[in-house]
Amino acid sequence: MSEHRRKPPQPQEGGRAAARRGQSGSSSGRRAAPRGATGSPSDSYGSGFHGPGGEDPSSGGRAGARRVAQRSAGGRRRAAEPAGGRRGGPSGPSGRGRPASAKKRLVDYPRAGKYGWQRWVPSWKLVTGLFVGFMGSLVAVAGVGYAMVAVPKVDETATAQNNVYYWSDGSQMVATGGETNRQIIDLSQIPEAMRWAVISQENKTFYDDSGIDPKGIARAVFNMARGGQTQGGSTITQQYVKNAMLNDQSQTISRKFKEIFVSIKVGAEEDKDDIIEGYLNSAYYGRNAYGIQAAARAYFDKDAIKLNEGECAFLAATLKGATYYDPAGATSIDAAATPEANRKRALTQMQDTLDKMVEYKHLDAAKRATFTTLPKLENPRSNTQLSGQTGYLVDLANGYVITHSKETGITQDKLQQGGYSIYTTFDKNKVKQLEKAVSAVQKANIKPKERPDTDTHVQFGGASVNPATGAIEAIYGGEDATKHFTNNADQTGAQVGSTFKPFVLAAAMSWGVRDKDLGSSQAQDERTIVSPKSLFSGKNKLKIKNYDGTIWKNEKGEEWLQTNDGQASYGSPPNFKIDLREAMRESVNSAFVQLGMDVGLDKVKLAATSAGIKESSLTGADFPSFSIGISDPSAIRMAGSYATFAASGKQRDPYSVQKVTSRDGVIYTHKTETKEGFTSKVADNVTDVLKTVVEKGTGTAAQLPGRDVAGKTGTTDGNKSAWFVGYTPQLSTAITMFRYDDDETKKNRTFLEMFGTGGQKKIHGASFPAEIWHDYMAEAMKDLPKKSFPEPEPIGEVLNEDPIPSPSPSVTESEEASPSPSPTPTESEQPEPSPSPSDTCNNFFGCDNNSGGANGGGTTDGGTGTTSPSPSPSDTGDVTKGNGNGGFFGGSSG
């Protein structure tokens, strides 16, 4: 190849590559090769490729490579930097500081000279400065707050005011409140065990702390800021300050800070023994007892100094909230505060307190082991002003105020502080008349000394409701509120029996029976309204069917045979048809159980709630006996629901408080809300049928000459409760009777049978309850004008009409007031005589169930002819017993 066509050799050194190679060579410690040592062809061409001084920059060794790299990098850096940014410039030797024109700031944030995320990270100097400043501010605020507060005088604020209760006519009923039950005693009169019980449970560092718990305070303040609960985190000193020194009990951050500063000052200036003494004397223990001495009397009827360790631990538990720890219960305030639930909570808390006393060396372990159950308690009332019916009335009014706190603005704590005037709906004369009527019947017939096996534990309850307003005008809660503390007008758990049957009839006339020829979904829409003239079977041991004609069976495949009281059949064989008016008059179970199945038990339940019964007091509507009253609404709710019929279908909830005032004026006024429970046509037809019951049926004992009266008797299976619920156009009244073992020492209190009670073979609603109803209503209605019920419009179709007229049904012994011949057993029943009450208990679902107004109930209610073996009572579930939650407000009072 000719020399002139040869490609010139490419430089192998210089520029960035040379710099990198030069640096690499320098760092490796290897010496650069002299020119020509490599044997490369390019070594022979020197001219035109050499640098200054004859050196070739392309292969000039480490020095040459370094110079090339410095020239290249230096040029780029100088081009990018402003003047003065290099060495020797005004920004300093390094050339990396801020420009000369930049000024220093007091707070270097965002940080100058930093880039990216580092610009937003504060320096340690800034963080330290802010922390010191914040803590200094807190100290300053705390110092000012501490200096500004003073220790309030306990005597000026620890005494609660009275609440004053008024009758419906505006006259004063009773004045009662905090100051009525408080006694201040010295620390020497307070057992050491009481002090250590409270300290161990509430504030174990009481004698060492400054009066506050910083962690607890922070938690409480945080909760308040979020709108949550503020309880918790308070020391004994703080609680003492709150109870005895601060008039303002609002749950606000400003009041909490005031409490903190006062607590700190009290902790610093007051002796710890004085603080614990003041706390135990000012705290609320329940049962209207303020202070340890009043509490000792209220719960144990002894002086505080005589309390033992177990009693002290129990009283320490009540300080956490007597509503939920008093074994007597407080369902008038909260349905969850039942006696059973409260006893369990109180025992658990008491045992925990005793364990802590042992742990903190305040109680000997051997001594502690002797307190494993709740101590024996006295009755829950110590204020004699609340004797008789007054205590029940006050409880009912208090329960209404508290359960309606959204409208009244009054919580339990505020009510306990007092200062309210509470105007009730209770008519003074009617209350006295009802009490007199019950007492007269009770004294004349109930003789526990003569008949201890049958006449002990007999209880009566009653309530009157005004149909036009819903106002509760009278109640009978028991013999004496200071002796029997369960309000029998409110939740008792007594099943209502056949007084439930009017709701079945109302459902049949409101929604009708389902068409048996259609499918279940279609039958819900295709219904036939029922006329009271419709015919249903009154046969004893009637095999109950579903609406479509199939035999009803339980989950075990067992059939249901519904019995009537006295095993009597009604109507003529073979079909034993009887119209619904007559079935109601004679309280025939089989007819109404089958009617309920045809209508649908869901509709029967809806009718009951539409009338005013609380759903929480109703048992599950899954069994045929639902229609004959296995549920347990209160007397107040039963009177209120029948008042809906009296008011031609207009439903108004019962209430007990008309108005509440305080020093700020009127803070609550009741507003009656009217709903349509039923159409007037339905309600008036129910009333017309119930008039028949009083005129010539089981309720003749309730007749009031010259007045329209409608009503229904009710008796339950096992003869454990009996009812009469009746009404005139102006007043609806329910009377209940039962035997109830309310011994607090027994774990499970139960209803007792009433066979033989009062010298009668069996108690029916037609006996003592109807007699009491009559005597009371005769007096209560004496000054009221005589009014008649509306004439009912014809309603519905006559179902199951039989062209052959049926003779009058034979009358049972169950609830007929006048003598009548005994029913004649049918041919099918001739071989087996009517069983005794004890014999009727060997059937499906046991005996603790309701028969309606006639004792007995098929596979659940006393029937004796099931085709398959009867399960044990444990198989009954909730069928045979009410749920015990039938209070005025579903377990709470009103």
Side-chain angles (χ1 to χ4, degrees):
M1 182 181 295
S2 64
E3 190 171 316
H4 70 272
R5 294 179 64 187
R6 181 183 299 167
K7 249 179 137 178
Q10 301 297 318
Q12 296 181 9
E13 302 291 346
R16 296 182 188 178
R20 283 196 299 270
R21 284 193 294 272
Q23 290 170 355
S24 174
S26 173
S27 62
S28 66
R30 292 189 300 169
R31 182 183 294 271
R35 270 195 308 265
T38 63
S40 170
S42 62
D43 290 343
S44 61
Y45 298 93
S47 62
F49 297 96
H50 293 179
E55 286 190 353
D56 185 354
S58 65
S59 58
R62 284 183 297 171
R66 189 163 51 248
R67 284 193 296 272
V68 171
Q70 288 175 349
R71 283 195 298 270
S72 175
R76 287 194 304 273
R77 184 165 60 248
R78 281 191 298 270
E81 290 179 350
R86 293 290 293 161
R87 188 183 316 169
S91 298
S94 66
R96 296 180 183 178
R98 69 170 63 84
S101 59
K103 294 183 179 179
K104 290 185 177 181
R105 294 178 293 172
L106 180 64
V107 178
D108 185 19
Y109 192 82
R111 298 174 66 185
K114 300 292 182 179
Y115 302 95
W117 62 269
Q118 292 179 332
R119 178 176 174 80
W120 303 100
V121 177
S123 67
W124 67 269
K125 293 181 180 180
L126 179 60
V127 173
T128 303
L130 290 174
F131 177 76
V132 171
F134 176 73
M135 294 304 295
S137 300
L138 285 183
V139 171
V141 170
V144 172
Y146 183 83
M148 291 181 65
V149 300
V151 177
K153 293 182 179 180
V154 174
D155 291 341
E156 294 179 356
T157 57
T159 303
Q161 301 177 68
N162 285 331
N163 291 316
V164 183
Y165 298 81
Y166 296 90
W167 295 102
S168 59
D169 63 1
S171 61
Q172 183 173 314
M173 179 196 306
V174 65
T176 181
E179 68 180 12
T180 61
N181 194 18
R182 183 199 299 274
Q183 290 175 276
I184 305 298
I185 58 177
D186 295 332
L187 188 64
S188 61
Q189 298 299 307
I190 300 175
E192 279 195 21
M194 187 66 207
R195 287 178 264 165
W196 290 123
V198 174
I199 290 171
S200 298
Q201 186 61 252
E202 302 285 341
N203 184 191
K204 67 179 181 180
T205 61
F206 168 71
Y207 278 104
D208 301 317
D209 62 37
S210 62
I212 63 170
D213 175 12
K215 290 182 179 179
I217 291 171
R219 183 169 58 252
V221 171
F222 179 69
N223 287 341
M224 277 189 294
R226 295 173 56 195
Q229 296 292 323
T230 60
Q231 288 80 2
S234 294
T235 63
I236 288 175
T237 303
Q238 285 177 262
Q239 294 179 58
Y240 169 56
V241 167
K242 181 175 68 173
N243 292 342
M245 295 182 173
L246 296 181
N247 285 317
D248 179 14
Q249 296 293 319
S250 62
Q251 299 292 345
T252 61
I253 293 180
S254 61
R255 196 213 62 82
K256 192 69 178 178
F257 275 115
K258 183 178 181 180
E259 174 192 311
I260 291 170
F261 291 133
V262 173
S263 299
I264 295 173
K265 181 157 282 191
V266 169
E269 298 181 5
E270 299 280 335
D271 185 81
K272 289 287 187 178
D273 283 345
D274 292 337
I275 293 173
I276 191 68
E277 174 189 311
Y279 172 62
L280 294 176
N281 274 315
S282 61
Y284 181 68
Y285 297 80
R287 298 192 177 188
N288 197 39
Y290 289 80
I292 182 62
Q293 174 65 14
R297 282 291 175 186
Y299 286 96
F300 306 111
D301 196 23
K302 62 172 69 174
D303 290 330
I305 191 62
K306 296 181 180 180
L307 295 172
N308 62 37
E309 288 83 352
E311 292 166 340
C312 291
F314 166 78
L315 289 178
T318 64
L319 292 174
K320 300 183 74 65
T323 296
Y324 302 101
Y325 290 90
D326 184 350
T331 53
S332 62
I333 295 174
D334 190 335
T338 62
E340 292 76 16
N342 281 15
R343 281 197 294 271
K344 183 177 180 180
R345 279 188 286 261
L347 180 59
T348 300
Q349 187 68 19
M350 170 187 164
Q351 297 301 308
D352 182 64
T353 298
L354 290 168
D355 289 341
K356 288 180 178 177
M357 291 173 70
V358 173
E359 179 184 352
Y360 303 143
K361 312 298 182 185
H362 302 314
L363 178 63
D364 180 71
K367 183 73 172 177
R368 182 261 176 274
T370 63
F371 304 107
T372 57
T373 60
L374 285 175
K376 187 178 184 304
L377 301 169
E378 296 296 320
N379 75 75
R381 301 187 188 279
S382 58
N383 188 343
T384 57
Q385 294 184 39
L386 300 177
S387 61
Q389 299 303 303
T390 305
Y392 302 124
L393 299 172
V394 168
D395 281 352
L396 205 58
N398 287 345
Y400 183 89
V401 168
I402 294 171
T403 55
H404 289 74
S405 59
K406 289 184 178 179
E407 293 85 11
T408 64
I410 302 173
T411 63
Q412 183 183 2
D413 288 341
K414 289 182 178 180
L415 189 65
Q416 290 167 356
Q417 295 163 28
Y420 298 103
S421 294
I422 300 174
Y423 295 82
T424 73
T425 60
F426 307 128
D427 185 297
K428 184 194 310 183
N429 293 328
K430 287 186 175 69
V431 170
K432 291 180 179 178
Q433 290 159 355
L434 181 53
E435 183 177 26
K436 181 180 177 181
V438 174
S439 298
V441 170
Q442 189 169 24
K443 289 178 181 179
N445 299 282
I446 309 302
K447 303 183 184 299
K449 292 183 179 180
E450 295 180 14
R451 297 183 289 266
D453 294 335
T454 60
D455 286 20
T456 55
H457 306 296
V458 176
Q459 297 290 333
F460 293 92
S464 278
V465 172
N466 187 324
T469 63
I472 304 171
E473 297 192 349
I475 65 165
Y476 179 84
E479 184 178 356
D480 191 322
T482 64
K483 298 176 182 178
H484 174 77
F485 51 81
T486 299
N487 187 349
N488 293 343
D490 196 36
Q491 183 268 323
T492 63
Q495 295 176 358
V496 296
S498 282
T499 58
F500 200 80
K501 289 175 181 173
F503 305 133
V504 183
L505 182 60
M509 292 192 293
S510 295
W511 295 284
V513 298
R514 294 170 286 187
D515 192 329
K516 66 180 181 180
D517 296 325
L518 299 175
S520 59
S521 59
Q522 200 174 354
Q524 294 293 338
D525 300 323
E526 297 296 330
R527 290 173 172 267
T528 302
I529 301 300
V530 176
S531 165
K533 297 179 181 179
S534 297
L535 301 175
F536 282 79
S537 176
K539 183 180 184 298
N540 184 51
K541 299 181 185 176
L542 178 66
K543 186 176 292 187
I544 299 302
K545 300 178 180 180
N546 295 306
Y547 79 93
D548 60 2
T550 60
I551 303 299
W552 188 93
K553 295 180 180 181
N554 70 348
E555 66 279 2
K556 295 183 179 180
E558 297 164 320
E559 297 177 352
W560 186 288
L561 299 179
Q562 181 61 54
T563 62
N564 295 321
D565 187 42
Q567 306 295 312
S569 290
Y570 294 82
S572 300
N575 295 325
F576 297 96
K577 289 186 178 180
I578 183 174
D579 71 43
L580 292 177
R581 181 183 296 274
E582 294 299 300
M584 186 73 77
R585 180 174 77 86
E586 295 300 334
S587 201
V588 181
N589 289 341
S590 54
F592 280 96
V593 169
Q594 187 58 61
L595 176 62
M597 297 298 291
D598 291 350
V599 173
L601 297 182
D602 59 330
K603 297 300 184 184
V604 175
K605 182 177 182 179
L606 181 57
T609 56
S610 296
I613 299 296
K614 298 296 289 185
E615 186 173 356
S616 58
S617 68
L618 298 175
T619 58
D622 300 322
F623 296 87
S625 61
F626 179 75
S627 293
I628 51 176
I630 61 174
S631 300
D632 56 6
S634 67
I636 292 173
R637 283 290 171 178
M638 288 302 292
S641 64
Y642 273 48
T644 301
F645 297 130
S648 294
K650 299 296 187 292
Q651 192 272 323
R652 302 171 178 99
D653 276 345
Y655 69 100
S656 58
V657 174
Q658 184 63 51
K659 180 176 67 174
V660 181
T661 66
S662 69
R663 64 183 181 183
D664 298 324
V666 178
I667 60 177
Y668 170 76
T669 300
H670 174 79
K671 296 180 180 178
T672 297
E673 293 186 6
T674 301
K675 306 173 186 176
E676 185 180 83
F678 307 102
T679 65
S680 59
K681 180 185 288 190
V682 169
D684 292 344
N685 271 277
V686 171
T687 294
D688 192 59
V689 170
L690 294 182
K691 281 177 62 179
T692 306
V693 175
V694 177
E695 290 170 356
K696 52 183 179 179
T698 59
T700 54
Q703 292 176 357
L704 298 175
R707 290 188 182 275
D708 272 2
V709 176
K712 185 70 187 76
T713 54
T715 308
T716 59
D717 188 47
N719 205 209
K720 294 179 180 178
S721 62
W723 290 74
F724 185 81
V725 187
Y727 55 96
T728 66
Q730 299 106 312
L731 193 63
S732 177
T733 299
I735 302 294
T736 180
M737 176 183 177
F738 52 89
R739 288 183 69 206
Y740 186 66
D741 186 358
D742 61 352
D743 186 352
E744 281 290 339
T745 63
K746 293 186 177 180
K747 188 172 183 179
N748 295 315
R749 294 173 290 177
T750 56
F751 288 88
L752 306 175
E753 294 179 344
M754 293 190 291
F755 297 110
T757 298
Q760 298 195 6
K761 181 179 178 181
K762 180 179 180 181
I763 298 297
H764 291 96
S767 56
F768 299 141
E771 184 179 347
I772 291 170
W773 189 97
H774 169 271
D775 294 349
Y776 160 66
M777 289 290 283
E779 290 297 316
M781 300 295 298
K782 187 165 52 177
D783 297 327
L784 296 177
K786 295 181 179 180
K787 291 186 177 181
S788 299
F789 291 120
E791 191 69 27
E793 300 178 32
I795 189 171
E797 297 182 22
V798 178
L799 303 182
N800 307 320
E801 193 168 10
D802 194 338
I804 303 175
S806 299
S808 298
S810 53
V811 180
T812 73
E813 61 176 3
S814 61
E815 294 181 64
E816 177 64 337
S818 57
S820 59
S822 299
T824 303
T826 66
E827 233 180 282
S828 61
E829 294 164 341
Q830 292 271 358
E832 105 181 321
S834 299
S836 67
S838 60
D839 294 334
T840 65
C841 295
N842 188 23
N843 53 70
F844 180 27
F845 291 124
C847 288
D848 205 12
N849 208 348
N850 166 340
S851 71
N855 186 41
T859 50
T860 54
D861 295 311
T864 58
T866 56
T867 59
S868 54
S870 301
S872 65
S874 62
D875 295 328
T876 65
D878 291 329
V879 178
T880 62
K881 294 184 180 179
N883 60 14
N885 192 25
F888 179 20
F889 293 104
S892 58
S893 291

